[in-house]
C-alpha cells in the first residue's frame, strides 16, 4: 500500500525527495532548487514532497530570504498534532560586502509519533510576506508523506 501511494505521488507531483536529517530546499526566483546528497534537481513548482519515517522524523527546509526588503518567511499552516516546527533561523548572506544580498531562512520540522501511526499526507504552508501587508509575495507548500 505504501509503495502504491508513493508511486502515485511520483506521477502526480513532479518531484519526490526522501527526507534525511538535512534536506535543503531553496526557493529562488520562482524555481525550486533542492539539494539532497549532492544532487541538484529543479522544478517550476514551489510545492515539494518529503518522505519521513520513524528513523528520520526530522527534516530541514531552507528558503532564500531577503530581510533588507522587509519580507520574511512565516508559517501559515501546520497541523501541530502531526508536525512540530522545531526552529526558524535566518542566516545572513555569505558575502557581507554585498548590500541587499539575500540570506537563507532555515526551518526545522519534526513529525510526531501520532503522524507515524499510519501512512498519511500532511501539508505545511509558508508565506513570504511583509508583516504589515496582507498579501504574501510568495508561498511555499510542503507535503509530508509518513510511512
Amino acid at each position: 500500500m505504501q509503495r502504491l501511494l508513493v508511486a502515485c505521488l511520483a506521477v502526480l507531483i513532479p518531484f519526490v525527495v526522501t527526507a534525511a536529517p538535512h534536506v535543503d530546499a531553496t526557493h529562488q526566483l520562482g524555481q525550486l532548487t533542492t539539494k539532497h546528497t549532492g544532487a541538484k534537481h529543479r522544478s517550476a513548482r514551489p510545492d515539494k514532497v518529503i518522505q519521513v519515517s520513524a528513523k528520520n522524523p526530522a527534516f530541514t527546509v531552507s528558503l532564500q530570504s531577503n530581510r533588507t526588503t522587509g519580507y520574511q518567511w512565516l508559517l501559515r499552516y501546520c497541523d501541530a498534532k502531526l508536525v512540530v516546527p522545531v526552529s526558524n533561523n535566518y542566516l545572513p548572506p555569505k558575502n557581507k560586502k554585498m548590500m541587499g544580498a539575500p540570506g537563507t531562512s532555515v526551518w526545522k520540522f519534526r513529525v510526531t509519533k501520532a503522524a507515524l501511526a499510519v501512512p498519511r499526507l500532511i501539508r505545511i504552508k509558508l508565506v513570504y510576506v511583509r508583516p504589515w501587508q496582507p498579501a504574501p509575495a510568495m508561498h511555499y507548500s510542503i507535503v509530508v508523506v509518513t510511512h
Side-chain angles (χ1 to χ4, degrees), residues 20-76:
H22 299 288
V23 175
D24 293 334
T26 306
H27 193 290
Q28 297 177 345
L29 303 174
Q31 286 195 339
L32 175 69
T33 302
T34 305
K35 298 175 187 172
H36 180 64
T37 61
K40 291 185 180 180
H41 306 278
R42 294 187 186 274
S43 172
R45 294 181 53 169
D47 295 62
K48 177 172 173 54
V49 175
I50 297 175
Q51 293 183 24
V52 295
S53 66
K55 291 181 182 178
N56 288 316
F59 59 97
T60 300
V61 178
S62 299
L63 300 164
Q64 184 175 330
S65 180
N66 193 336
R67 291 257 173 114
T68 62
T69 62
Y71 284 98
Q72 61 182 317
W73 286 99
L74 299 177
L75 184 60
R76 167 74 49 98

Side-chain angles (χ1 to χ4, degrees), residues 2 13 20 41 44 48 65-66 70 94 107 111 119 121 133 145-146:
Q2 287 175 262
I13 300 175
H41 306 278
K48 177 172 173 54
S65 180
N66 193 336
K94 292 179 182 176
W107 289 80
V111 295
L121 301 175
Q133 292 180 332
V145 180
T146 65

Side-chain angles (χ1 to χ4, degrees), residues 1-21:
M1 185 65 143
Q2 287 175 262
R3 289 182 185 176
L4 179 62
L5 175 66
V6 172
C8 290
L9 285 172
V11 171
L12 296 174
I13 300 175
F15 185 68
V16 177
V17 174
T18 302

Side-chain angles (χ1 to χ4, degrees), residues 80-139:
K81 294 176 185 172
L82 303 174
V83 178
V84 177
V86 176
S87 66
N88 172 28
N89 295 305
Y90 178 76
L91 303 176
K94 292 179 182 176
N95 186 351
K96 297 182 189 259
K97 294 181 181 181
M98 290 184 64
M99 293 288 290
T104 305
S105 181
V106 180
W107 289 80
K108 293 184 181 184
F109 296 92
R110 178 175 296 277
V111 295
T112 64
K113 288 183 181 182
L116 296 167
V118 296
R120 68 177 79 221
L121 301 175
I122 305 164
R123 182 166 295 278
I124 300 171
K125 283 190 164 192
L126 297 152
V127 290
Y128 193 57
V129 66
R130 290 178 171 145
W132 62 89
Q133 292 180 332
M138 287 187 276
H139 74 278

